[in-house]
Amino acid sequence: MSISWSRPGLSMGEGCEQFRGGGAGMAGLLSWAALCPLLLCAAQVPLAWALTLRFGQGCPPLERALLAWLFYDAIVHFTLEGPFVYMSLVGTVAQSDNILAFLWQEYGKADARWLHSDPNIVSLEILTVLLDGFLVLLLIHAIVKDKYYRHFVQIVLCVCELYGGWMTFCPEWLIGSPNLDTSNWLYLWVYLTFFNTVWVVVPGLLLWHSWLSLKEMHQKRNETVRKSQ
């Protein structure tokens, strides 16, 4: 069985060469069709930071950085992935005609499954919007209000995010990636690699953060018990 990241015809090395190729190819790819969705995603970052400043005023810097990510995560789940689920349930993204459909149609150039209501993708996105969206909001509340269940929710959310990433691509890799187009650097390195890797790296770091925090709490509790004896 052949497991491949891309469609036949372009290796990872060739993708790197195309990325370095420069010039007219890059200018052609960065048209308004590509820039508008990218700018829309970028515009959500200051909104997430504004919400962080509003609700995380009493939090230390590390917690504010975490809140900024969580607000951005929630915005993506509810304003981008939520509409994707709706469009996919009532029709397909390819058939839809609105600004958010335009964003997903652009991403669908790299992964065609998002255009045609792929059952695996839609199932994962329903879970992402409903379960992950709820967990993100609950975790924000737990951090701001310093709730005892904070790290339990943080761990569950991170596992869900990592599971979603794995199940988005593993089934596709196992059949040779027929729906993935890595024929140029924008599709390979920005759409497929960057936008998906972020939701692997950050949850992984947050799992490590929870591990260290729980370890510290356990050590403090043991010290308190020893002192009381």
Side-chain angles (χ1 to χ4, degrees), residues 26-52:
M26 182 178 294
L29 286 173
L30 290 178
S31 62
W32 278 110
L35 284 175
C36 287
L38 292 174
L39 291 173
L40 179 60
C41 292
Q44 296 176 327
V45 174
L47 175 58
W49 184 243
L51 290 170
T52 301

Side-chain angles (χ1 to χ4, degrees), residues 2 7 24 50 55-56 77 82 91 140-141 197 199 207 218:
S2 173
R7 287 176 180 167
F55 293 99
H77 289 333
I140 290 172
H141 173 76
T197 301
W199 268 268
L207 280 176
H218 180 72

Side-chain angles (χ1 to χ4, degrees), residues 7 33-34 104-112 115 179 181 187 191:
R7 287 176 180 167
W104 287 111
Q105 287 163 7
E106 179 63 22
Y107 181 79
K109 295 176 182 178
D111 188 343
L115 296 175
N179 293 295
D181 184 355
Y187 297 168
Y191 293 175

Side-chain angles (χ1 to χ4, degrees), residues 62-102:
L62 180 60
E63 300 289 70
R64 285 201 300 271
L66 175 54
L67 284 173
W69 161 256
L70 293 173
F71 277 119
Y72 181 75
D73 195 24
I75 291 168
V76 169
H77 289 333
F78 293 122
T79 68
L80 298 184
E81 292 174 304
F84 167 81
V85 169
Y86 174 78
M87 289 184 284
S88 297
L89 292 177
V90 301
T92 67
V93 166
Q95 297 169 340
S96 301
D97 183 19
N98 56 71
I99 187 170
L100 293 178
F102 180 65

Side-chain angles (χ1 to χ4, degrees), residues 9-10 15 21 40-41 47 54 74 87 90-91 94-95 109 125 134 140 145 148 152 175 178 187 211 222-223 228:
L10 183 69
L40 179 60
C41 292
L47 175 58
R54 169 65 178 83
M87 289 184 284
V90 301
Q95 297 169 340
K109 295 176 182 178
E125 286 301 307
F134 167 74
I140 290 172
K145 300 298 184 180
Y148 67 91
F152 172 78
I175 61 173
Y187 297 168
W211 169 272
N222 287 344
E223 290 175 3
S228 64

